[in-house]
Amino acid sequence: MHAILTFHSIDDKGSVISYSPDNFRLLLDVLEKQQIPVLDLDTLLAPGTRKGVAITFDDGMRSVYRNALPVLRDHNMPAHLFLTTDAVNSATPWPRDAADGHTFEMLNWDELAALQAGGISIECHTRTHPDMRTLTETQMQQECEQADELIGNHLGRRPRYFAYPFGYHNRKVRDFARPRYRGTVTTELRQLGDNMDSAALPRLDAYYLQSPRLIQNIDSLLLKGYLSARNILRNIKGSQCKADFD
Ligand SMILES: [Zn+2]
């Protein structure tokens, strides 16, 4: 197995972007038991790495600090968090246009510093979470530069990786991201492969790994193409319910 995993919130709300704390702990236990290494993105994407997973969180929900950090520390595993900086300390519920009515408390800078100290690298997910395809070059530049600068100023480390808001990208957006970041991740449900575009790295969304049975069989399911089948289904149905939150 050679893949990047996507999470948003680690909680029991049952929303489309929630993943339960019990399943999160089980998944890390299973990865450890099956000797699938959990790596940081630099190591996972290095030439020669053929096996391993990276854990990523999108947006910046407080539950990552409350419910994921302690489990990651217990397992001594690294992770990355793609942060939307306008949502930090947000007093208003987030996301603002919650389709299913679920909103989330967001991280503050003290919690982000604690995450970084605990081995979770804080990466870029823009300042305001726009559809990048609709922006001019200057606007893209502002969205990323302002976010990167703020993160650098608060945490002393500028982001090296980027996640497209909603997973939306096109050639213009990829050409913008490629020279700016070591890697940019999408919401395409696939494992990593050879000769990948660093500006279009696929990820496996934990949304599709919600039952203990699936989690325990994660490695063999991937070999059998379980998640690529979900990708095809999602495309056929034209369902954007996930993408709207990504
Ligand atoms: Zn997002």
Side-chain angles (χ1 to χ4, degrees), residues 143-189:
E143 277 287 343
C144 288
E145 183 53 33
Q146 287 170 9
D148 288 347
E149 198 181 328
L150 197 63
I151 292 169
N153 287 345
H154 275 278
L155 302 175
R157 174 196 174 273
R158 277 174 72 95
R160 294 169 193 157
Y161 292 89
F162 180 51
Y164 301 117
F166 311 101
Y168 294 153
H169 58 93
N170 57 21
R171 180 187 295 264
K172 180 188 75 174
V173 179
R174 290 191 298 277
D175 287 348
F176 165 79
R178 198 174 294 110
R180 187 176 175 98
Y181 298 101
R182 289 186 192 175
T184 302
V185 296
T186 67
T187 56
E188 190 196 350
L189 283 170

Side-chain angles (χ1 to χ4, degrees), residues 8 58-61 82 84 94 125-126 129 163-167 203 243-246:
H8 289 81
D58 282 9
D59 302 332
M61 280 82 175
F82 293 101
T84 297
W94 203 90
H125 197 37
T126 71
H129 208 275
Y164 301 117
F166 311 101
R203 289 191 292 177
D244 288 345
F245 282 94
D246 282 325

Side-chain angles (χ1 to χ4, degrees), residues 54-155:
I55 292 172
T56 66
F57 302 92
D58 282 9
D59 302 332
M61 280 82 175
R62 176 161 288 153
S63 63
V64 175
Y65 171 76
R66 287 198 179 140
N67 299 329
L69 180 62
V71 188
L72 286 162
R73 287 299 89 238
D74 285 351
H75 291 77
N76 197 25
M77 289 174 176
H80 297 257
L81 184 144
F82 293 101
L83 180 70
T84 297
T85 54
D86 263 14
V88 177
N89 288 334
S90 176
T92 51
W94 203 90
R96 288 172 209 95
D97 51 351
D100 64 355
H102 289 287
T103 55
F104 298 85
E105 282 182 47
M106 306 307 282
L107 290 158
N108 61 42
W109 287 110
D110 287 344
E111 291 159 341
L112 284 158
L115 288 174
Q116 182 172 272
I120 302 181
S121 304
I122 310 304
E123 314 290 359
C124 185
H125 197 37
T126 71
R127 187 171 77 80
T128 68
H129 208 275
D131 177 349
M132 297 278 284
R133 299 170 303 179
T134 67
L135 303 186
T136 64
E137 190 78 23
T138 308
Q139 288 170 322
M140 288 196 285
Q141 176 72 23
Q142 285 169 346
E143 277 287 343
C144 288
E145 183 53 33
Q146 287 170 9
D148 288 347
E149 198 181 328
L150 197 63
I151 292 169
N153 287 345
H154 275 278
L155 302 175

Side-chain angles (χ1 to χ4, degrees), residues 207-220:
Y207 174 76
Y208 297 101
L209 294 169
Q210 298 262 15
S211 81
R213 188 184 61 81
L214 292 178
I215 293 167
Q216 260 139 8
N217 292 297
I218 182 168
D219 212 10
S220 57

